[in-house]
C-alpha cells in the first residue's frame, strides 16, 4: 500500500487531522508549536496559523470560522482575521486540552491531560461544549485523553484514554449530549503501540493511530477484532487520522517528532502522510452548531 509523505518540515506534535470537506483541504495542528495548519492537496501548500497557546484540536463551526481546543479552554478562531473571537477557559495551568471532535448534533467534545504528560494519578477530564457555550465535565480521572468517534446511527460514542490500551464505548444521548453504560470494545496488546487518534469509516469500522506503533490499524468495534495494520515506515508515533478527498477515499495521517530520532527509526516523525484510495471510505465531519448569536 502506497504511503505518500506530504510535508518536508517536521511538526513537533502533529495531531487533530480533520478533512474540511467544503474547502477540500485538511486541517491539522502542531500542539507544541501552537499552530493550526491548513493543507491544500491541489498544490501541496501547507498554511500555518499561530495561536497564543498550545492547541490540541480544531473543528469547523457551522456558522463560519473554526473552534480550537486550546491549553486553557475552547475558543472561536476566525481564520480570515486570524484572531480569537471568543474563549471559554476551563482547565488549570498544569493541564491542556488535547484531542477533540464534534458530535453529530454539533457539540464540541475534547479531553485534557497534564502538560508534563504525567498521568499517575490521572488528572485529565473529558469536556463537552454545548451549543450555548456552557461547558460541562463528562468524565473525570482521565490519563491522556485522545480519540473520539460516533457510530453511524449516532447511538454510540467511542473514546480513547491512551494509557489504558482500550477503546471504550458509551451509549450516546444526542438530545442532551450525555453518555452512559461504559464498556470496553477494543483491547490493545503489548507491542501494538498505544491507541491515539481515531476515526470511523462508512461501514462503521474504527481506524486508529498507533502511538509507538509505526502504524495505523482498522478494527471492528462490534467484536473487537483487528482487521488490518498498515505500517508507516520511519514514523514511530502516529497521532491522528482522517479520511479526505472528493469521495473521502484517502487517509491522511499525522505524526510526532517530539521524542527524537535517537535510534534512527523515527526519521520521518512529525511528517504529514497520505494513503490514497485506501479501500475504505470515510464520512463527512460534524461541525459545531453555535447558538450564541
Amino acid at each position: 500500500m502506497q504511503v505518500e509523505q506530504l510535508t518536508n518540515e517536521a511538526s513537533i506534535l502533529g495531531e487533530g487531522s480533520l478533512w474540511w470537506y467544503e474547502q477540500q483541504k485538511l486541517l491539522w495542528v502542531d500542539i507544541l508549536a501552537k499552530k493550526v495548519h491548513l493543507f491544500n492537496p491541489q498544490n501541496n501548500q501547507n498554511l500555518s496559523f499561530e495561536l497564543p497557546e498550545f492547541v490540541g484540536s480544531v473543528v469547523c463551526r457551522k456558522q463560519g470560522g473554526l473552534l480550537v481546543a486550546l491549553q486553557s479552554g475552547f475558543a472561536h478562531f476566525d481564520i480570515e482575521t486570524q484572531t480569537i473571537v471568543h474563549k471559554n477557559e476551563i482547565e488549570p495551568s498544569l493541564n491542556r486540552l488535547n484531542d477533540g471532535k464534534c458530535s453529530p448534533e454539533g457539540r464540541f467534545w475534547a479531553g485534557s491531560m497534564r502538560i508534563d504528560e504525567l498521568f499517575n494519578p490521572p488528572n485529565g477530564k473529558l469536556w463537552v461544549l454545548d451549543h450555548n457555550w456552557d461547558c460541562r465535565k463528562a468524565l473525570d480521572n482521565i490519563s491522556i485523553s485522545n480519540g473520539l468517534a460516533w457510530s453511524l446511527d449516532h447511538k454510540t460514542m467511542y473514546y480513547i484514554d491512551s494509557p489504558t490500551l482500550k477503546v471504550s464505548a458509551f451509549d450516546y444521548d444526542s438530545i442532551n449530549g450525555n453518555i452512559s453504560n461504559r464498556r470496553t470494545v477494543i483491547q490493545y496488546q503489548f507491542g501494538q503501540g498505544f491507541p491515539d487518534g481515531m476515526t470511523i469509516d462508512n461501514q462503521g469500522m474504527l481506524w486508529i493511530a498507533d502511538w509507538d506503533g509505526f502504524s495505523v490499524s482498522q478494527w471492528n468495534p462490534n467484536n473487537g477484532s483487528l482487521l488490518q495494520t498498515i505500517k508507516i515506515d520511519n514514523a514511530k508515533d502516529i497521532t491522528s487520522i482522517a479520511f479526505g478527498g472528493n469521495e473521502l477515499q484517502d487517509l491522511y495521517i499525522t505524526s510526532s517528532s517530539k521524542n527524537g530520532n535517537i535510534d534512527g527509526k523515527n526519521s520521518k516523525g512529525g511528517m504529514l502522510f497520505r494513503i490514497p484510495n485506501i479501500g475504505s471510505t470515510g464520512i463527512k465531519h460534524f461541525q459545531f452548531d453555535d447558538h450564541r448569536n
Side-chain angles (χ1 to χ4, degrees), residues 10 60 81 110 136 159 261:
C60 296
T81 62
R136 52 195 167 85
Y159 174 65
N261 188 32

Side-chain angles (χ1 to χ4, degrees), residues 3-50:
V3 180
E4 302 172 340
Q5 180 181 325
L6 301 177
T7 54
N8 292 315
E9 183 178 345
S11 61
I12 305 171
L13 182 52
E15 255 284 9
S17 53
L18 175 78
W19 184 252
W20 194 348
Y21 189 84
E22 295 75 14
Q23 297 280 339
Q24 288 293 295
K25 296 176 182 177
L26 184 81
L27 287 161
W28 60 294
V29 304
D30 186 342
I31 296 176
L32 300 183
K34 305 177 183 179
K35 290 180 180 179
V36 170
H37 295 297
L38 184 63
F39 177 79
N40 184 349
Q42 297 301 314
N43 57 16
N44 287 338
Q45 184 179 34
N46 189 57
L47 297 178
S48 299
F49 306 91
E50 293 192 14

Side-chain angles (χ1 to χ4, degrees), residues 158 160 165 167 185-189 192-193 195 197-201 203-210 215-229 241:
Y158 300 108
I160 291 172
L165 297 175
V167 179
V185 292
I186 292 169
Q187 177 69 62
Y188 271 54
Q189 302 301 320
Q192 290 181 309
M198 177 168 55
T199 191
I200 194 167
D201 65 28
Q203 298 300 308
M205 301 299 103
L206 294 176
W207 291 75
I208 301 175
D210 301 327
S215 60
V216 299
S217 51
Q218 183 192 28
W219 300 77
N220 184 341
N222 301 311
N223 58 22
S225 62
L226 174 63
L227 302 178
Q228 63 173 317
T229 299
I241 44 182

Side-chain angles (χ1 to χ4, degrees), residues 4-280:
E4 302 172 340
Q5 180 181 325
L6 301 177
T7 54
N8 292 315
E9 183 178 345
S11 61
I12 305 171
L13 182 52
E15 255 284 9
S17 53
L18 175 78
W19 184 252
W20 194 348
Y21 189 84
E22 295 75 14
Q23 297 280 339
Q24 288 293 295
K25 296 176 182 177
L26 184 81
L27 287 161
W28 60 294
V29 304
D30 186 342
I31 296 176
L32 300 183
K34 305 177 183 179
K35 290 180 180 179
V36 170
H37 295 297
L38 184 63
F39 177 79
N40 184 349
Q42 297 301 314
N43 57 16
N44 287 338
Q45 184 179 34
N46 189 57
L47 297 178
S48 299
F49 306 91
E50 293 192 14
L51 291 168
E53 302 177 18
F54 296 137
V55 52
S57 47
V58 56
V59 299
C60 296
R61 179 174 174 266
K62 185 177 179 180
Q63 292 77 10
L66 304 172
L67 262 70
V68 287
L70 295 176
Q71 174 181 334
S72 60
F74 296 98
H76 174 193
F77 177 60
D78 188 325
I79 196 170
E80 299 297 330
T81 62
Q82 300 182 38
T83 57
I84 298 293
V85 179
H86 182 75
K87 188 177 173 187
N88 189 340
E89 295 191 5
I90 52 173
E91 279 289 344
S93 59
L94 57 81
N95 278 12
R96 65 169 176 83
L97 289 182
N98 200 42
D99 207 351
K101 277 188 181 161
C102 284
S103 55
E105 78 287 352
R107 293 177 172 93
F108 189 6
W109 291 70
S112 64
M113 57 180 283
R114 285 179 60 115
I115 292 173
D116 59 16
E117 300 188 14
L118 297 176
F119 53 84
N120 190 14
N123 192 52
K125 302 171 181 62
L126 180 63
W127 297 96
V128 54
L129 183 70
D130 279 314
H131 307 297
N132 62 358
W133 281 76
D134 284 346
C135 192
R136 52 195 167 85
K137 182 174 60 179
L139 290 175
D140 213 337
N141 299 316
I142 301 300
S143 301
I144 298 178
S145 188
N146 262 309
L148 288 154
W150 281 261
S151 60
L152 301 183
D153 63 5
H154 304 166
K155 293 181 179 179
T156 302
M157 187 184 87
Y158 300 108
Y159 174 65
I160 291 172
D161 181 0
S162 291
T164 68
L165 297 175
K166 297 176 181 178
V167 179
S168 297
F170 298 84
D171 294 342
Y172 189 68
D173 171 10
S174 60
I175 296 176
N176 300 302
N178 293 329
I179 54 176
S180 60
N181 188 27
R182 186 173 190 168
R183 64 267 186 199
T184 298
V185 292
I186 292 169
Q187 177 69 62
Y188 271 54
Q189 302 301 320
F190 178 77
Q192 290 181 309
F194 294 84
D196 198 319
M198 177 168 55
T199 191
I200 194 167
D201 65 28
N202 68 355
Q203 298 300 308
M205 301 299 103
L206 294 176
W207 291 75
I208 301 175
D210 301 327
W211 178 273
D212 196 27
F214 295 91
S215 60
V216 299
S217 51
Q218 183 192 28
W219 300 77
N220 184 341
N222 301 311
N223 58 22
S225 62
L226 174 63
L227 302 178
Q228 63 173 317
T229 299
I230 303 170
K231 288 296 181 180
I232 313 296
D233 291 338
N234 299 307
K236 181 170 179 272
D237 297 325
I238 305 301
T239 53
S240 77
I241 44 182
F243 286 97
N246 291 329
E247 304 297 327
L248 300 173
Q249 75 283 358
D250 304 327
L251 192 70
Y252 286 83
I253 302 162
T254 61
S255 62
S256 171
S257 66
K258 79 179 186 68
N259 288 332
N261 188 32
I262 297 173
D263 56 6
K265 297 180 180 179
N266 195 37
S267 60
K268 295 186 178 180
M271 302 303 180
L272 177 67
F273 303 96
R274 175 177 59 205
I275 302 176
N277 300 305
I278 195 167
S280 295

